[in-house]
Amino acid sequence: LLSLLDNNRDEARKFLHKSIDNSTTNDDQKALSYLKLAELDYNDENYVSSKFYYDSTLNFMAKNDQRYPDLEERDRVLDNLVKQLNIIAEEDSLQKLAALPEAQRQRAIKDILARKEREEEEKKEAEETAKQQQQLENFKGNNPQNPQQQQPQGPVSNWYFYNTAARATGYNDFIKKWGRRKLEENWRRKNKTSVTADDTQETNAVDSLPTEVKKEEPKGTPEEQLEAGLPTTPEKLEKSNDRLIDAYYNAGTIYKDGLEAYDKAQVMFETLVKRFPKNKVLLESYYYLYLIAQKLNNATLAESYKAKILAEFPESVIAKILKDPNYVNASRAKEQEINAYYESAYNDFANNRLDSAWLKAKLSDVRFKPNPLAPKFELLLAIILAKQNRLADYVQALNKIINKS
């Protein structure tokens, strides 16, 4: 904390990592240290690494902590952003790979598969070691009178548990899969009161049954599977470009509305318009660039995007709003802005851009106070949740609507 007061952020990060390494049984301390790291990266707009630390914060923070709901919401926004950025990176890599000459492409595919195999092995090791760490920490908590037996044998610097980044990655995956379990026999079972041979047989039988969620085993060698996924035909390239368009648009929306990182949002929308000048969300992209230019006090740029909208989409609702002579009137401007915002959210839903539509509906009450279209946004949010198969959240949203009526 003293380092933060001195604005020595690098030193503060080092101390926070030391705190994480040394807090083997104090979950509250771990949560606080991870939260400080998350906030440091968030404030520096390092959103990808910030999301990693928010994940760890939520794993260690008590769910009844009053900060938990807000942090969980922020983590969800960042999770969605990271997903969009990963789509962009993946599709760009696949397109570059597809464009290589045949011999060079085959060599690159072998290198990629070798690296993927190493990463899978490292992930399995991370999850297994995280399980061991959970058991060790529970053991420490149950045996505080014997600290000498609690230390790992061998050089500390080489022990996985003292590698903060590796440990947290594996631990996050382990916690998401199994939860925070006490050290006891049959820790995988939710009901551990008794275990019989019949229980074991029944569990094995259930595990062996085919289920709808299990995907069909892919055909061909790993090289053939990867080759088949490359956009080497016009049809596959078009689908890849569609995924890129959606990802750029969703990332720009998250940067603008979810994070208020207007410079980064501008880069996303400008890249989208430049790479795909005839894309399906061109009108919405122009409009967002217009609004961002206003936020950045760039009147010239705002006018240029307004002119593009009026010239290329003269009959759109957005164009009509921009042409309205009363647009500068404060009260009318707010009304028109929320109508355009709702139209944008609904268009995202209608075009199956569900993550973007969900985010806009969720943030409508934050952006507009008061929100005269709140009932419409709540109904839209419920429909989105249903389409995303989030049934529990869908029922909760419907009950909220019913209770207000």
Side-chain angles (χ1 to χ4, degrees), residues 10 27 30 56 70 90 126 141 182 206 228 276 283 342 354 361 364:
D10 290 337
D27 285 354
K30 261 192 192 325
S56 299
D70 290 338
E90 180 181 357
K182 293 182 179 179
V206 171
F276 308 101
L283 169 60
Y342 178 82
L354 300 181
S364 61

Side-chain angles (χ1 to χ4, degrees), residues 48 51 76-90 247 250-251 254 354-356 388:
V48 175
K51 186 265 182 300
R76 177 177 170 81
V77 172
L78 292 174
D79 182 66
N80 193 9
L81 173 65
V82 170
K83 181 170 70 174
Q84 306 307 322
L85 297 179
N86 284 341
I87 291 173
I88 293 171
E90 180 181 357
N250 290 337
I254 295 167
L354 300 181
D355 287 331
S356 177
Q388 291 178 324

Side-chain angles (χ1 to χ4, degrees), residues 138-393:
N138 284 329
F139 179 79
K140 288 182 179 181
N142 293 332
N143 299 272
Q145 75 284 359
N146 194 9
Q148 294 300 320
Q149 296 180 6
Q150 298 168 7
Q151 297 300 323
Q153 301 299 315
V156 170
S157 60
N158 294 328
W159 203 46
Y160 172 82
F161 300 154
Y162 285 83
N163 183 327
T164 306
R167 180 183 67 231
T169 301
Y171 196 85
N172 288 345
D173 290 342
F174 176 78
I175 291 297
K176 287 177 182 176
K177 185 174 182 179
W178 298 111
R180 301 181 63 78
R181 303 295 176 96
K182 293 182 179 179
L183 177 61
E184 54 192 352
E185 292 183 0
N186 305 297
W187 57 269
R188 288 183 175 85
R189 297 174 62 91
K190 288 185 179 179
N191 182 2
K192 298 177 280 292
T193 55
S194 64
V195 181
T196 66
D198 290 338
D199 290 331
T200 305
Q201 292 172 1
E202 181 181 351
T203 302
N204 292 338
V206 171
D207 288 343
S208 66
L209 288 175
T211 62
E212 292 184 3
V213 298
K214 289 184 178 179
K215 296 182 179 179
E216 184 179 348
E217 286 294 324
K219 298 179 181 179
T221 65
E223 289 83 358
E224 291 170 342
Q225 293 169 25
L226 182 52
E227 182 84 34
L230 296 179
T232 52
T233 66
E235 294 77 13
K236 290 182 178 180
L237 182 59
E238 182 179 0
K239 290 181 179 179
S240 177
N241 285 337
D242 278 342
R243 288 190 285 270
L244 279 169
I245 289 168
D246 287 341
Y248 273 114
Y249 179 80
N250 290 337
T253 301
I254 295 167
Y255 277 133
K256 178 186 176 296
D257 294 331
L259 302 172
E260 296 183 355
Y262 299 115
D263 290 330
K264 291 181 181 292
Q266 186 177 37
V267 169
M268 285 291 152
F269 287 118
E270 286 180 344
T271 304
L272 172 57
V273 170
K274 184 177 180 180
R275 286 189 65 176
F276 308 101
K278 300 295 182 183
N279 73 77
K280 58 190 175 183
V281 286
L282 186 59
L283 169 60
E284 291 85 350
S285 299
Y286 281 163
Y287 185 60
Y288 268 130
L289 286 166
Y290 166 80
L291 295 176
I292 291 168
Q294 286 190 321
K295 285 287 187 181
L296 298 176
N297 297 316
N298 191 333
T300 302
L301 187 60
E303 283 300 315
S304 72
Y305 282 112
K306 177 180 177 180
K308 286 179 180 291
I309 292 172
L310 297 179
E312 298 178 32
F313 303 95
E315 298 303 318
S316 67
V317 173
I318 291 175
K320 292 175 182 178
I321 291 173
L322 295 178
K323 287 188 293 187
D324 191 325
N326 295 319
Y327 181 71
V328 294
N329 181 278
S331 60
R332 285 293 305 276
K334 279 293 180 184
E335 179 184 346
Q336 291 163 345
E337 183 181 0
I338 193 171
N339 284 331
Y341 187 82
Y342 178 82
E343 182 192 23
S344 177
Y346 186 83
N347 284 342
D348 284 346
F349 165 76
N351 288 286
N352 210 38
R353 296 188 290 271
L354 300 181
D355 287 331
S356 177
W358 177 91
L359 181 65
K360 291 176 183 177
K362 193 73 175 176
L363 293 176
S364 61
D365 284 335
V366 177
R367 289 198 57 184
F368 303 101
K369 297 180 180 180
N371 181 2
L373 298 185
K376 295 181 69 174
F377 279 110
E378 288 173 359
L379 181 58
L380 178 61
L381 184 61
I383 297 172
I384 293 168
L385 293 172
K387 199 166 183 179
Q388 291 178 324
N389 290 323
R390 295 168 56 188
L391 298 183
D393 292 337

Side-chain angles (χ1 to χ4, degrees), residues 25-142:
T25 58
N26 189 338
D27 285 354
D28 291 337
Q29 182 60 47
K30 261 192 192 325
L32 180 60
S33 297
Y34 275 125
L35 178 57
K36 289 297 181 184
L37 286 167
E39 290 173 343
L40 281 172
D41 281 344
Y42 186 89
N43 291 333
D44 289 342
E45 297 189 354
N46 297 323
Y47 296 120
V48 175
S49 57
S50 176
K51 186 265 182 300
F52 166 83
Y53 289 123
Y54 277 118
D55 277 348
S56 299
T57 300
L58 294 174
N59 281 338
F60 287 99
M61 180 176 284
K63 289 192 175 182
N64 60 359
D65 191 300
Q66 62 180 4
R67 297 168 295 181
Y68 195 95
D70 290 338
L71 295 177
E72 189 176 39
E73 185 67 26
R74 175 170 288 185
D75 184 65
R76 177 177 170 81
V77 172
L78 292 174
D79 182 66
N80 193 9
L81 173 65
V82 170
K83 181 170 70 174
Q84 306 307 322
L85 297 179
N86 284 341
I87 291 173
I88 293 171
E90 180 181 357
E91 294 301 329
D92 279 344
S93 296
L94 291 174
Q95 290 191 13
K96 289 177 182 177
L97 190 58
L100 292 175
E102 178 67 21
Q104 190 176 350
R105 183 165 71 236
Q106 293 304 320
R107 289 196 299 271
I109 286 175
K110 290 181 180 179
D111 290 342
I112 290 170
L113 291 174
R115 185 169 65 248
K116 184 177 180 181
E117 185 176 352
R118 289 195 301 270
E119 290 172 353
E120 287 295 328
E121 291 175 356
E122 290 169 1
K123 183 178 179 182
K124 288 179 182 178
E125 291 175 2
E127 290 184 357
E128 179 61 27
T129 314
K131 182 188 77 175
Q132 295 172 10
Q133 183 196 18
Q134 174 77 62
Q135 293 172 334
L136 177 66
E137 291 180 359
N138 284 329
F139 179 79
K140 288 182 179 181
N142 293 332

